[in-house]
Amino acid sequence: KPDGKLIKKLQDESQQQWSYFTSRCRNAAFLYQLTGDKQDAEMALAFFQIWLNHPNSQENLKPKESWGRAELAMAHDWVYELLSPGEREKARKLLAAMVSKPSLELIKNSWFMENCKPVGRQPAGSNWTGLCTTNLGLTNLAIEGEKGYDPELQQRCIHMLKRYVENSFSPDGNSY
């Protein structure tokens, strides 16, 4: 289970600390999916509840520009059955805030997305295109069929990722 040291680190709220946490949250949920063990379920749920109950979670319910959080989206799917109805609703709202209108505007206007202009880069985007579209797309899919899911955002993510994969790799495997 997450210990007090991890929770204290998260109070720092640096991007690095949250990246460390979200990958552990995803890994714990994946372990539970692999084993089905009660102990692993408790650990996965404890990690996910830390995110749900973070002091800033109310602030994070507001729509904002985001790249999404693939790790949390996957963890959400893998622990969904363990969540109470209230926790499911809060998780949906937090994920929906990440894929709201400001994120759609990010796709439309960012230099590494649909507003890509040749400036010494491939017009298909950059490695940021792949990171952003996979994170947003997976976050959006975690709430597919529920309030907050955005089919337009999903189609744009698929289109941008496909364009990036088809046009941004050199024959030796390097990406642009």
Side-chain angles (χ1 to χ4, degrees):
K1 282 191 176 183
D3 61 15
K5 288 188 277 183
L6 176 61
I7 294 168
K8 184 166 175 38
K9 282 182 180 182
L10 292 174
Q11 298 305 318
D12 174 23
E13 293 191 46
S14 70
Q15 185 66 31
Q16 181 181 10
Q17 293 302 332
W18 274 109
S19 293
Y20 171 78
F21 170 78
T22 57
S23 65
R24 286 197 142 180
C25 183
R26 178 207 55 219
N27 292 348
F30 184 58
L31 179 63
Y32 165 59
Q33 284 297 297
L34 291 175
T35 67
D37 291 342
K38 182 180 181 194
Q39 182 179 355
D40 294 335
E42 290 171 358
M43 177 180 61
L45 182 59
F47 267 103
F48 199 76
Q49 287 170 332
I50 288 171
W51 173 63
L52 283 179
N53 299 313
H54 187 273
N56 285 345
S57 64
Q58 285 298 354
E59 180 67 26
N60 291 333
L61 290 170
K62 297 176 185 171
K64 62 184 171 295
E65 183 179 286
S66 170
W67 285 26
R69 283 284 191 179
E71 297 92 347
L72 293 172
M74 289 185 282
H76 169 265
D77 282 357
W78 293 331
V79 301
Y80 189 83
E81 68 198 40
L82 304 173
L83 299 172
S84 71
E87 289 171 326
R88 289 176 183 173
E89 180 62 12
K90 186 172 184 181
R92 184 201 57 77
K93 287 179 179 178
L94 287 165
L95 294 168
M98 291 182 206
V99 296
S100 58
K101 186 174 180 174
S103 297
L104 183 58
E105 293 303 313
L106 169 82
I107 287 179
K108 292 177 181 178
N109 299 313
S110 294
W111 67 265
F112 58 91
M113 296 296 275
E114 290 180 351
N115 195 28
C116 195
K117 296 185 176 43
V119 287
R121 294 184 178 88
Q122 283 285 57
S126 76
N127 60 341
W128 288 14
T129 308
L131 289 169
C132 185
T133 55
T134 54
N135 274 283
L136 274 173
L138 287 170
T139 302
N140 200 35
L141 283 174
I143 58 171
E144 184 178 22
E146 298 181 46
K147 185 177 178 184
Y149 172 76
D150 187 336
E152 179 185 357
L153 176 89
Q154 197 66 35
Q155 288 307 308
R156 287 175 183 265
C157 285
I158 292 168
H159 169 75
M160 289 300 302
L161 184 59
K162 183 177 179 183
R163 190 173 87 171
Y164 169 68
V165 169
E166 290 175 350
N167 298 296
S168 296
F169 288 89
S170 68
D172 63 359
N174 291 322
S175 68
Y176 301 103

